[in-house]
Amino acid sequence: MLDLLIEPWSWGDWMWRGMLASTLAAIPLAVLGVFLYLRRMSLLADALAHVALPGIVVAFLLTGSLDGPVMLAGAAAVGLLSAFAIEGLAKRPNVRSDAAIGIVFTVFFAAGVILLSTTVHDAHIDTSCVLFGNVLAISDRALWMLGAVAPAVVLLVAVFYRWLSVSSFDPTLATSIGVPVTLVHYGLMTAVSVTTVASFEAVGAILAIAMMVVPAATAHLLADRLPTMLLAAVGHALVSSVVGMYVSIWVNASTAGAIVVVGGVLYALAFLFAPRHGLVAKLIRRHTRDVVLQG
Amino acid sequence: MQSLFSQQVADRAAEFFTFQYDFAINALMSSMFVGAVCAVVGAFLVLRGMSLLGDATGHATLPGVCAAFVFVGAKETGALLTGALVSAFVAALLVGLISRSNRSRPDAAIGVILSVFFGIGIVMLSYIQNSPTAAQSGLQSFLFGNAAGVSREQLYVLGGISAALIAGVAVFFRPLAVATFDPVFARSIGVPTRAVHYGLLGALSLAVVVSIQAVGVVLVSAMLIIPPSAALFLTKRLPRALVFAGFIGVASGALGAFVSYLWEGVATGPAMVIVAGLFFALAFVFGSRGVLGRLFTKNDALSTPGESQATPATASAE
């Protein structure tokens, strides 16, 4: 049993590189995800992660390079553009915000797929890598990018913690006490786009979405206060990336997928057994209440 | 890619209209069916504020496809589609279950189910690809679809199911419309809203499943959302909106298939989505309820009394 845990580390440096990459991706994504969740914007994670693909492609077409800063800038630009587009559409009285998200990100994503398949043959952008990531063969470049972006995002969240939390819980109050709510919104969008792209090579688009949505949803089942919620989300993200790494090695399957599945199992456990908000706790409360009422 | 407009592209365009290749006809027809059925079913999702449920159901077909492949051991379309249907429907039910527990938010419920189901699918896909049968699987084409790979038999199935679904929407139009716009009123006049809801989820799952061969799991949500959203810029009345959405869907399918025939490397699914996006942009600007149209109509409030609109009153009155 212990062999199964220790042995992979002796097979080469890809094990610790993979662990480093997946945890470096997991922490900022989980933190940003909590704020998206509180703002009921979880699906913007979905949108921005898909939109990052055309961001990378366009940045490559314009500059001919796939350097870290170029990719991050491209993703940030296209991410912001799509956030503006979504906002603009959702303002129309006959477009709901979820439809606006769906329209914008699918069109952007389709454009990215077409550009990728027709014009960028020599760019070595691997579609399946962008979608699913490749933790176990992560490049130095991607590792450096994560190493720069992850601490920066966590630091920014810490610095702007008050603005972020007050505008997430009560935008009206935030506006009235002078918090630049719009700026915070687009800042958050930029951070999400940049972090998503930085984590692409490690975990891919789909896992980036999962890493934003699932830890936050789990944390909300376990915690009632923002600081505990953030801790729970980061804990969930770390546990699922470490356990998921091992699972993927044991069963010889996609690491990104395994990390999501472990995260999903943790969510299901929390959904059922969370102390206050779990399904079982709710049923027990209902039962005891009935007993008290009848007795 | 060939240069955008070359003799070669012109030749391919001429070649397309001779309709001599079966695969081109199959691709064209299947894309049009997909456009029609997604638009009609998607319209009710869009109106109910459940647009992105289609995205979740689309992604959720992947584990079902893989499970069916492992179970049957071959790429047999019927089995794969059944697997896809089951997992799509289960995912839609789970989204409902999580949203109803008041602790979780509906949007997060969609995100959780989407990513977890897709994660399961990726694990199974990579597992299958690492196994000896990988060569014959070709399951990857489910991600982005492959309209040119649709066989004549598959086309008949797709056409049959699409026609049945559209007919179903026509037959149950009134309960669907009332339950969509005013569930409380619908219950009071005896519409079984719960049955309507599950029926819609079933229809959604079926529509998604028959569409993934042509557009793929990642982009099927576009065909569910974009044509109806465009139609809502053209009219206020639901029956007309459904017809417009259907036409936009069919036209996007046809043009998308044509465009992907012209240029190598352009897959049909993304091409359909881009065309649909252009239709949406046109409707957004020039539609009677669009940006320009609104300049010329003074009172365009969503529910103007006396004006026949897709509200419970119209939907229920003959």
Side-chain angles (χ1 to χ4, degrees):
Chain A
M1 175 65 207
L2 211 57
D3 280 357
L4 283 175
L5 292 178
I6 297 169
E7 217 186 283
W9 293 90
S10 64
W11 292 343
D13 61 353
W14 51 263
M15 183 68 186
W16 69 261
R17 288 169 67 102
M19 279 289 180
L20 190 63
S22 60
T23 46
L24 272 179
I27 295 171
L29 288 172
V31 169
L32 293 173
V34 167
F35 290 103
L36 288 177
Y37 180 93
L38 291 174
R39 295 163 166 247
R40 296 169 195 272
M41 289 175 181
S42 293
L43 290 169
L44 276 179
D46 187 12
L48 293 177
H50 282 93
V51 159
L53 174 70
I56 297 177
V57 178
V58 168
F60 176 78
L61 288 176
L62 290 179
T63 65
S65 106
L66 274 178
D67 291 340
V70 174
M71 276 170 66
L72 296 179
V78 177
L80 273 180
L81 183 68
S82 68
F84 280 124
I86 290 170
E87 201 92 326
L89 272 185
K91 272 205 201 99
R92 308 291 308 181
N94 44 345
V95 183
R96 283 177 192 262
S97 62
D98 62 330
I101 293 175
I103 292 163
V104 171
F105 94 76
T106 52
V107 170
F108 275 53
F109 187 69
V113 172
I114 289 179
L115 280 178
L116 191 60
S117 61
T118 53
T119 56
V120 210
H121 287 304
D122 50 343
H124 307 295
I125 304 177
D126 178 359
T127 329
S128 74
C129 175
V130 168
L131 283 179
F132 313 128
N134 195 354
V135 182
L136 298 183
I138 191 154
S139 65
D140 286 341
R141 190 194 50 162
L143 214 49
W144 278 114
M145 209 148 70
L146 271 176
V149 168
V153 166
V154 173
L155 190 71
L156 278 172
V157 168
V159 169
F160 294 107
Y161 180 77
R162 296 212 145 260
W163 281 11
L164 268 168
S165 52
V166 73
S167 64
S168 301
F169 284 111
D170 193 340
T172 322
L173 172 72
T175 319
S176 72
I177 59 172
V179 173
V181 178
T182 316
L183 200 66
V184 172
H185 174 75
Y186 287 110
L188 187 61
M189 296 299 112
T190 312
V192 169
S193 304
V194 167
T195 317
T196 311
V197 167
S199 46
F200 261 177
E201 208 168 308
V203 293
I206 305 304
L207 181 60
I209 299 167
M211 275 299 180
M212 281 186 270
V213 180
V214 185
T218 312
H220 192 230
L221 289 164
L222 297 173
D224 290 313
R225 300 188 56 246
L226 181 57
T228 31
M229 203 180 151
L230 283 167
L231 278 180
V234 170
H236 173 282
L238 288 179
V239 171
S240 43
S241 26
V242 172
V243 178
M245 257 319 258
Y246 276 114
V247 169
S248 81
I249 291 171
W250 294 334
V251 302
N252 188 20
S254 154
T255 311
I259 294 176
V260 183
V261 172
V262 172
V265 170
L266 293 179
Y267 174 80
L269 290 176
F271 186 79
L272 293 175
F273 303 115
R276 275 165 49 80
H277 307 292
L279 201 60
V280 173
K282 257 184 218 159
L283 291 179
I284 291 175
R285 266 206 305 277
R286 191 175 301 166
H287 179 73
T288 44
R289 187 196 59 197
D290 289 350
V291 168
V292 170
L293 286 177
Q294 283 160 11
Chain B
M1 181 181 173
Q2 309 94 313
S3 67
L4 214 51
F5 298 101
S6 61
Q7 188 57 42
Q8 202 184 352
V9 172
D11 289 346
R12 284 187 75 84
E15 190 181 80
F16 183 85
F17 286 106
T18 60
F19 298 114
Q20 52 179 324
Y21 296 115
D22 268 358
F23 78 89
I25 300 173
N26 292 352
L28 178 70
M29 296 296 290
S30 61
S31 310
M32 288 164 68
F33 283 137
V34 165
V37 72
C38 284
V40 171
V41 174
F44 289 98
L45 291 185
V46 170
L47 288 170
R48 286 169 171 235
M50 298 172 8
S51 296
L52 290 167
L53 190 59
D55 197 26
T57 356
H59 284 83
T61 54
L62 193 59
V65 169
C66 294
F69 178 77
V70 171
F71 199 66
V72 182
K75 202 183 164 198
E76 192 195 305
T77 314
L80 297 189
L81 293 189
T82 312
L85 184 64
V86 171
S87 66
F89 193 68
V90 169
L93 288 182
L94 282 177
V95 169
L97 174 76
I98 297 176
S99 317
R100 264 200 306 281
S101 75
N102 51 12
R103 187 72 182 168
S104 286
R105 321 224 146 135
D107 62 328
I110 289 178
V112 168
I113 291 301
L114 180 155
S115 47
V116 172
F117 269 69
F118 204 60
I120 298 173
I122 294 171
V123 168
M124 299 177 82
L125 193 61
S126 60
Y127 186 77
I128 291 170
Q129 280 167 343
N130 291 341
S131 69
T133 48
Q136 53 157 327
S137 74
L139 295 171
Q140 200 95 38
S141 72
F142 273 92
L143 292 177
F144 290 110
N146 181 12
V150 174
S151 71
R152 195 43 67 95
E153 290 75 33
Q154 289 169 338
L155 181 65
Y156 290 146
V157 174
L158 168 56
I161 295 178
S162 308
L165 279 176
I166 293 170
V169 168
V171 169
F172 294 107
F173 176 72
R174 302 174 115 263
L176 264 170
V178 189
T180 297
F181 286 108
D182 194 341
V184 180
F185 175 71
R187 265 193 298 279
S188 75
I189 60 167
V191 172
T193 46
R194 186 165 281 222
V196 168
H197 177 72
Y198 289 124
L200 191 60
L201 291 188
L204 167 69
S205 309
L206 254 182
V208 165
V209 166
V210 296
S211 307
I212 52 178
Q213 282 175 295
V215 286
V217 300
V218 182
L219 284 171
V220 64
S221 62
M223 296 314 292
L224 289 161
I225 303 173
I226 301 177
S229 300
L232 290 177
F233 280 104
L234 302 175
T235 177
K236 284 183 190 180
R237 294 181 43 93
L238 181 58
R240 268 186 220 159
L242 285 179
V243 173
F244 287 152
F247 273 119
I248 293 170
V250 169
S252 311
L255 283 171
F258 179 58
V259 165
S260 82
Y261 188 85
L262 294 188
W263 290 288
E264 256 171 72
V266 178
T268 316
M272 284 169 74
V273 174
I274 297 291
V275 175
L278 291 177
F279 278 121
F280 178 83
L282 287 176
F284 179 78
V285 177
F286 298 109
S288 59
R289 306 180 67 211
V291 176
L292 289 182
R294 277 182 175 243
L295 294 179
F296 302 107
T297 39
K298 261 196 197 148
N299 187 359
D300 194 33
L302 261 174
S303 48
T304 320
E307 227 188 311
S308 185
Q309 196 222 337
T311 55
T314 5
S316 65
E318 187 66 24

